Amino acid sequence: MKRSVIIDCDPGVDDCIALMAALGSPDELDLMAVCVVAGNVSVETCFRNARSVLALAGREDVPVHAGCARPLKVEPEFADHIHGESGLGKAVLPDSLAPPSGLHAVDYLCETLGAAAPGSITMVITGPMTNFATALQCDPAIAEAVDELVIMGGADIEGGNITPHAEFNIYADPDAAQIVLGCGRPITLIGLDATLQFRCTPARMARMQASKHRAPAAATAMIGHVNDVYGKIYGAEGAAMHDPCTIGYLLAPDLFTARRTSVSVDCSAGERRGHTAIGGVRTGSTDAINWIRGLHAEPLFDLLLGRMERL
Ligand code: BDR
Ligand code: CA
């Protein structure tokens, strides 16, 4: 059955690839809107980038709503050292000519989810969770409209990427993550333990480069930059494609392995800020989280590249 989906993101190279894969999957995913939040880069830059991806895809019928410019409590933390100043690596995307939405993402979420039937909308979150957490604070009842949240965030055995203890999306707004992960709806959480298994290796880069289609061409320019940075910072061959895993999961959950567990977030200001304890402290509804442990990288790459080539 076709799923109605809202993507809440901070594009960002891998967010853009997730968007392109979703836009290339119209038979399975009805993309209702894209919400953006400050994360990898400022919310203004994320807004421009999301609109540019839609322009590239010829899908400017999908609205983009700009959301929160800063986290709930902590100071903003950006990741432009990974994604580049523009958030797009070396890619230059077309400017959007569509009239910009003036509706704040939090108002959009409250209005849309508030009016939707129970369990009718899937929320995909690939950035800090500030927008959805703020919407839940305004109106907790909106959670009822969500059938599942599929979120990129957290880490267990991999530790972290922004600090040794924390993954970026959770670190950037731990208070928001705690609210969203405790919202009581079914949650699939895809953290670094899985996404670091999905790298843009030289062989996969070569396949994207060889593609004649516009989305993989843009993705190659974006990921090329992140690959260089990864090589220098982590000594790793091939950047991880974190956020596209969410779309891959919606399209082909059998490519992922999971276990149900509790997840608790460290909201302290200490060195473990943003740490996710997987299967640790058992508190309330977080016990129900579907924690992704692994994935089948080669068929997942085939799937997502194929979807991007449809644009
Ligand atoms: C997450 O952090 C961001 O830099 C990426 O876009 C991804 O959502 C990975 O930790
Ligand atoms: Ca992201």
Side-chain angles (χ1 to χ4, degrees):
M1 200 186 74
K2 196 160 165 169
R3 294 175 86 148
S4 298
V5 175
I6 298 170
I7 300 183
D8 191 347
C9 58
D10 61 337
V13 165
D14 56 335
D15 301 82
C16 291
I17 294 166
L19 285 174
M20 293 192 286
L23 290 161
S25 307
D27 293 341
E28 296 94 344
L29 308 178
D30 173 19
L31 183 55
M32 299 172 66
V34 178
C35 295
V36 295
V37 66
N40 286 319
V41 285
S42 71
V43 71
E44 293 83 7
T45 305
C46 291
F47 185 60
R48 191 192 64 214
N49 292 347
R51 282 165 48 82
S52 289
V53 171
L54 294 170
L56 178 88
R59 286 298 310 278
E60 295 192 271
D61 55 301
V62 178
V64 180
H65 304 294
C68 299
R70 51 174 300 124
L72 294 185
K73 295 182 185 167
V74 298
E75 286 303 308
E77 185 84 27
F78 300 107
D80 48 358
H81 60 292
I82 303 283
H83 297 258
E85 200 181 328
S86 70
L88 301 175
K90 294 189 185 80
V92 179
L93 300 186
D95 282 332
S96 172
L97 300 175
S101 157
L103 185 61
H104 194 282
V106 172
D107 294 331
Y108 169 78
L109 291 171
C110 287
E111 285 172 18
T112 304
L113 296 173
S120 60
I121 295 177
T122 302
M123 281 293 306
V124 172
I125 306 182
T126 63
M129 299 182 221
T130 324
N131 284 341
F132 191 57
T134 307
L136 285 170
Q137 285 180 322
C138 295
D139 182 2
I142 62 169
E144 290 306 313
V146 177
D147 67 337
E148 183 180 9
L149 291 112
V150 180
I151 300 171
M152 192 280 133
D156 185 10
I157 55 177
E158 287 293 347
N161 56 357
I162 186 76
T163 74
H165 304 290
E167 181 279 327
F168 176 78
N169 288 339
I170 309 272
Y171 180 87
D173 197 343
D175 304 288
Q178 190 178 48
I179 290 169
V180 173
L181 296 181
C183 77
R185 301 303 298 156
I187 292 177
T188 289
L189 188 60
I190 310 179
L192 297 180
D193 295 22
T195 64
L196 289 176
Q197 298 173 27
F198 190 43
R199 290 183 180 276
C200 211
T201 58
R204 292 183 187 137
M205 276 300 272
R207 282 185 60 197
M208 284 206 296
Q209 237 151 10
S211 172
K212 299 280 177 280
H213 299 266
R214 55 190 169 173
T220 306
M222 290 185 219
I223 298 172
H225 170 85
V226 185
N227 274 354
D228 292 346
V229 176
Y230 256 62
K232 286 184 194 128
I233 298 183
Y234 303 113
E237 192 179 53
M241 291 180 284
H242 308 282
D243 296 339
C245 293
T246 57
I247 305 303
Y249 180 79
L250 289 180
L251 297 174
D254 291 351
L255 296 181
F256 296 80
T257 54
R259 71 182 164 111
R260 302 203 79 78
T261 185
S262 63
V263 177
S264 62
V265 179
D266 190 321
C267 292
S268 74
E271 64 168 3
R272 293 177 74 80
R273 163 182 156 185
H275 176 74
T276 43
I278 310 296
V281 185
R282 294 195 166 263
T283 47
S285 55
T286 66
D287 271 358
I289 285 177
N290 187 36
W291 169 252
I292 301 294
R293 312 168 73 177
L295 51 80
H296 299 288
E298 207 53 35
L300 180 61
F301 181 78
D302 293 344
L303 173 70
L304 296 175
L305 176 59
R307 297 312 170 103
M308 285 198 284
E309 287 182 327
R310 291 181 181 176
L311 296 179

